PDB file of all heavy atoms in Angstrom:
ATOM      1  N   SER A 459      23.785  75.310 128.296  1.00 82.00           N
ATOM      2  CA  SER A 459      23.009  74.349 129.016  1.00 82.00           C
ATOM      3  C   SER A 459      22.428  74.906 130.347  1.00 82.00           C
ATOM      4  O   SER A 459      21.270  74.640 130.687  1.00 82.00           O
ATOM      5  CB  SER A 459      23.859  73.102 129.343  1.00 82.00           C
ATOM      6  OG  SER A 459      24.323  72.518 128.149  1.00 82.00           O
ATOM      7  N   PHE A 460      23.261  75.691 131.033  1.00 84.00           N
ATOM      8  CA  PHE A 460      22.771  76.312 132.280  1.00 84.00           C
ATOM      9  C   PHE A 460      21.610  77.244 132.000  1.00 84.00           C
ATOM     10  O   PHE A 460      20.582  77.261 132.692  1.00 84.00           O
ATOM     11  CB  PHE A 460      23.902  77.038 132.976  1.00 84.00           C
ATOM     12  CG  PHE A 460      23.499  77.646 134.314  1.00 84.00           C
ATOM     13  CD1 PHE A 460      23.619  76.890 135.463  1.00 84.00           C
ATOM     14  CD2 PHE A 460      22.987  78.921 134.428  1.00 84.00           C
ATOM     15  CE1 PHE A 460      23.226  77.410 136.689  1.00 84.00           C
ATOM     16  CE2 PHE A 460      22.595  79.454 135.626  1.00 84.00           C
ATOM     17  CZ  PHE A 460      22.739  78.678 136.803  1.00 84.00           C
ATOM     18  N   ALA A 461      21.762  78.082 130.973  1.00 80.00           N
ATOM     19  CA  ALA A 461      20.701  79.021 130.597  1.00 80.00           C
ATOM     20  C   ALA A 461      19.456  78.301 130.175  1.00 80.00           C
ATOM     21  O   ALA A 461      18.312  78.700 130.494  1.00 80.00           O
ATOM     22  CB  ALA A 461      21.175  79.961 129.495  1.00 80.00           C
ATOM     23  N   ALA A 462      19.603  77.193 129.438  1.00 79.00           N
ATOM     24  CA  ALA A 462      18.444  76.416 129.003  1.00 79.00           C
ATOM     25  C   ALA A 462      17.699  75.806 130.183  1.00 79.00           C
ATOM     26  O   ALA A 462      16.477  75.656 130.161  1.00 79.00           O
ATOM     27  CB  ALA A 462      18.875  75.327 128.057  1.00 79.00           C
ATOM     28  N   GLY A 463      18.463  75.460 131.238  1.00 82.00           N
ATOM     29  CA  GLY A 463      17.836  74.905 132.431  1.00 82.00           C
ATOM     30  C   GLY A 463      16.860  75.864 133.112  1.00 82.00           C
ATOM     31  O   GLY A 463      15.919  75.411 133.773  1.00 82.00           O
ATOM     32  N   VAL A 464      17.110  77.161 132.939  1.00 84.00           N
ATOM     33  CA  VAL A 464      16.172  78.167 133.527  1.00 84.00           C
ATOM     34  C   VAL A 464      14.793  78.005 132.875  1.00 84.00           C
ATOM     35  O   VAL A 464      13.750  78.056 133.576  1.00 84.00           O
ATOM     36  CB  VAL A 464      16.725  79.573 133.324  1.00 84.00           C
ATOM     37  CG1 VAL A 464      15.720  80.603 133.846  1.00 84.00           C
ATOM     38  CG2 VAL A 464      18.089  79.725 134.014  1.00 84.00           C
ATOM     39  N   GLY A 465      14.749  77.809 131.586  1.00 81.00           N
ATOM     40  CA  GLY A 465      13.465  77.604 130.901  1.00 81.00           C
ATOM     41  C   GLY A 465      12.845  76.270 131.225  1.00 81.00           C
ATOM     42  O   GLY A 465      11.640  76.125 131.322  1.00 81.00           O
ATOM     43  N   VAL A 466      13.687  75.232 131.437  1.00 78.00           N
ATOM     44  CA  VAL A 466      13.190  73.928 131.795  1.00 78.00           C
ATOM     45  C   VAL A 466      12.449  73.983 133.132  1.00 78.00           C
ATOM     46  O   VAL A 466      11.402  73.344 133.381  1.00 78.00           O
ATOM     47  CB  VAL A 466      14.326  72.913 131.881  1.00 78.00           C
ATOM     48  CG1 VAL A 466      13.884  71.566 132.437  1.00 78.00           C
ATOM     49  CG2 VAL A 466      14.891  72.690 130.456  1.00 78.00           C
ATOM     50  N   ALA A 467      12.962  74.806 134.094  1.00 80.00           N
ATOM     51  CA  ALA A 467      12.325  74.963 135.364  1.00 80.00           C
ATOM     52  C   ALA A 467      10.886  75.479 135.257  1.00 80.00           C
ATOM     53  O   ALA A 467      10.012  74.991 135.926  1.00 80.00           O
ATOM     54  CB  ALA A 467      13.152  75.913 136.247  1.00 80.00           C
ATOM     55  N   ALA A 468      10.672  76.464 134.377  1.00 81.00           N
ATOM     56  CA  ALA A 468       9.327  76.968 134.147  1.00 81.00           C
ATOM     57  C   ALA A 468       8.417  75.880 133.567  1.00 81.00           C
ATOM     58  O   ALA A 468       7.244  75.804 133.916  1.00 81.00           O
ATOM     59  CB  ALA A 468       9.407  78.199 133.228  1.00 81.00           C
ATOM     60  N   ALA A 469       8.991  75.081 132.648  1.00 75.00           N
ATOM     61  CA  ALA A 469       8.187  74.027 132.053  1.00 75.00           C
ATOM     62  C   ALA A 469       7.799  72.972 133.077  1.00 75.00           C
ATOM     63  O   ALA A 469       6.725  72.334 132.955  1.00 75.00           O
ATOM     64  CB  ALA A 469       8.996  73.359 130.924  1.00 75.00           C
ATOM     65  N   PHE A 470       8.595  72.746 134.087  1.00 70.00           N
ATOM     66  CA  PHE A 470       8.258  71.829 135.177  1.00 70.00           C
ATOM     67  C   PHE A 470       7.175  72.371 136.084  1.00 70.00           C
ATOM     68  O   PHE A 470       6.240  71.676 136.440  1.00 70.00           O
ATOM     69  CB  PHE A 470       9.528  71.507 136.014  1.00 70.00           C
ATOM     70  CG  PHE A 470      10.304  70.318 135.510  1.00 70.00           C
ATOM     71  CD1 PHE A 470      11.416  70.496 134.745  1.00 70.00           C
ATOM     72  CD2 PHE A 470       9.899  69.019 135.860  1.00 70.00           C
ATOM     73  CE1 PHE A 470      12.140  69.414 134.299  1.00 70.00           C
ATOM     74  CE2 PHE A 470      10.610  67.940 135.425  1.00 70.00           C
ATOM     75  CZ  PHE A 470      11.735  68.119 134.627  1.00 70.00           C
ATOM     76  N   LEU A 471       7.335  73.616 136.480  1.00 75.00           N
ATOM     77  CA  LEU A 471       6.456  74.168 137.536  1.00 75.00           C
ATOM     78  C   LEU A 471       5.085  74.550 137.058  1.00 75.00           C
ATOM     79  O   LEU A 471       4.080  74.199 137.706  1.00 75.00           O
ATOM     80  CB  LEU A 471       7.171  75.414 138.144  1.00 75.00           C
ATOM     81  CG  LEU A 471       6.324  76.188 139.192  1.00 75.00           C
ATOM     82  CD1 LEU A 471       6.080  75.323 140.434  1.00 75.00           C
ATOM     83  CD2 LEU A 471       7.076  77.453 139.589  1.00 75.00           C
ATOM     84  N   LEU A 472       4.984  75.232 135.914  1.00 79.00           N
ATOM     85  CA  LEU A 472       3.761  75.895 135.523  1.00 79.00           C
ATOM     86  C   LEU A 472       2.572  74.961 135.253  1.00 79.00           C
ATOM     87  O   LEU A 472       1.470  75.237 135.681  1.00 79.00           O
ATOM     88  CB  LEU A 472       4.032  76.824 134.355  1.00 79.00           C
ATOM     89  CG  LEU A 472       4.888  78.038 134.701  1.00 79.00           C
ATOM     90  CD1 LEU A 472       5.357  78.760 133.435  1.00 79.00           C
ATOM     91  CD2 LEU A 472       4.166  78.966 135.616  1.00 79.00           C
TER      92      LEU A 472
END
Side-chain angles (χ1 to χ4, degrees):
S459 299
F460 184 89
V464 177
V466 172
F470 269 98
L471 175 64
L472 292 169

